[in-house]
Amino acid sequence: MEFIDYYKILGIDKSANEADIKKAYRKMARKFHPDVNPNDKQAEVKFKEVNEANEVLSNTENRKKYDKYGKDWKHADQYDQQSRQQNYGGGGYQQQNPFGQSNQGSGDFSDFFGSMFGGGSRRSNQSKFKGQDFNAELQLNLSEVYKTDKRTLTVNGKNIRLTIPAGVTDGQEIKIKGYGSDGVNGGPKGDLNIKFKITNDTLFVRDGKNLYKNI
């Protein structure tokens, strides 16, 4: 997965505080907003990157994970757990502190990751993690859901041909396997979760599979 520098996207440095992040986000969001750049695909991509950067950096915990693990920040909890197991799990392995320094020598931060994911000499075991799931919302009118329909969605730059079964309900979710982000160390891809948002554009009231109207 290509590394995306969220700080660079927002035009700030790593010492930026919460107010700096908010100010930078508003500025960049206005610059690349679809209403300001109609039919501009490049601006649309930039707008998504700006929103993604803000979601990560404006959240204190996510920002800490991103600063520590970079593009793999979403798997930080799994990495930390793997680190704790390696440091304190015994099993004949040398104990290491979080910076790769063992009781019998010294190393660097890359040594720690190498040993944790199979690149080092201390432990030849690669940990595979499933990629992050993507979540999307699809808005439909009530008049559109009375029959099975096909739609093409664009998610993360990929066109997905989707069959929408007749009678889907508001808030219903479906999962499409393998359309999330790439896995780590050859792990499986994440999934795409689509949530339906149904707007009633009729004079009827829906109750399950039935439609009612007072005459």
Side-chain angles (χ1 to χ4, degrees):
M1 183 186 300
E2 183 181 355
F3 174 70
I4 300 177
D5 190 335
Y6 292 142
Y7 291 101
K8 185 177 181 180
I9 289 174
L10 294 182
I12 57 178
D13 56 41
K14 290 188 176 182
S15 62
N17 58 33
E18 185 177 344
D20 294 332
I21 294 172
K22 184 180 295 185
K23 182 179 179 180
Y25 165 67
R26 289 176 176 175
K27 177 182 177 181
M28 301 303 288
R30 284 195 298 268
K31 180 179 179 180
F32 296 111
H33 197 282
D35 292 344
V36 180
N37 305 274
N39 302 318
D40 188 335
K41 295 296 183 182
Q42 187 173 359
E44 182 180 343
V45 172
K46 288 289 186 182
F47 184 70
K48 291 179 180 179
E49 290 180 347
V50 167
N51 279 285
E52 183 177 334
N54 179 64
E55 288 180 5
V56 174
L57 299 184
S58 63
N59 183 295
T60 303
E61 289 301 317
N62 287 344
R63 184 179 180 182
K64 289 179 181 178
K65 294 175 182 178
Y66 174 76
D67 288 342
K68 185 175 182 180
Y69 293 107
K71 68 181 178 65
D72 295 323
W73 70 271
K74 294 179 181 179
H75 304 285
D77 293 339
Q78 294 165 307
Y79 292 166
D80 289 340
Q81 181 181 4
Q82 185 80 7
S83 171
R84 288 191 295 270
Q85 291 175 349
Q86 181 170 337
N87 292 338
Y88 306 111
Y93 299 116
Q94 293 180 351
Q95 291 186 355
Q96 294 177 313
N97 67 26
F99 296 97
Q101 296 174 338
S102 69
N103 293 335
Q104 301 180 7
S106 63
D108 57 20
F109 197 62
S110 61
D111 290 336
F112 166 65
F113 278 97
S115 63
M116 190 165 79
F117 299 122
S121 60
R122 297 185 185 93
R123 185 177 183 180
S124 58
N125 176 40
Q126 283 195 332
S127 299
K128 298 181 179 180
F129 299 112
K130 178 183 176 183
Q132 186 77 6
D133 290 346
F134 289 154
N135 297 295
E137 184 177 86
L138 179 58
Q139 295 189 351
L140 299 171
N141 290 324
L142 181 58
S143 59
E144 296 177 300
V145 304
Y146 74 96
K147 64 178 180 179
T148 298
D149 193 14
K150 293 183 181 293
R151 294 286 181 92
T152 299
L153 305 181
T154 302
V155 179
N156 200 33
K158 297 180 180 179
N159 291 328
I160 302 173
R161 185 70 171 173
L162 176 66
T163 299
I164 304 174
V168 292
T169 58
D170 185 53
Q172 181 177 343
E173 293 187 9
I174 61 174
K175 176 182 290 187
I176 303 179
K177 289 187 173 295
Y179 278 89
S181 64
D182 293 332
V184 177
N185 290 329
K189 286 189 173 184
D191 303 323
L192 170 62
N193 300 310
I194 299 178
K195 185 176 182 179
F196 293 101
K197 178 68 175 178
I198 309 299
T199 300
N200 190 350
D201 61 335
T202 73
L203 297 176
F204 293 89
V205 175
R206 182 178 187 178
D207 183 7
K209 295 184 178 180
N210 299 316
L211 297 176
Y212 295 91
K213 181 181 178 182
N214 290 328
I215 303 297

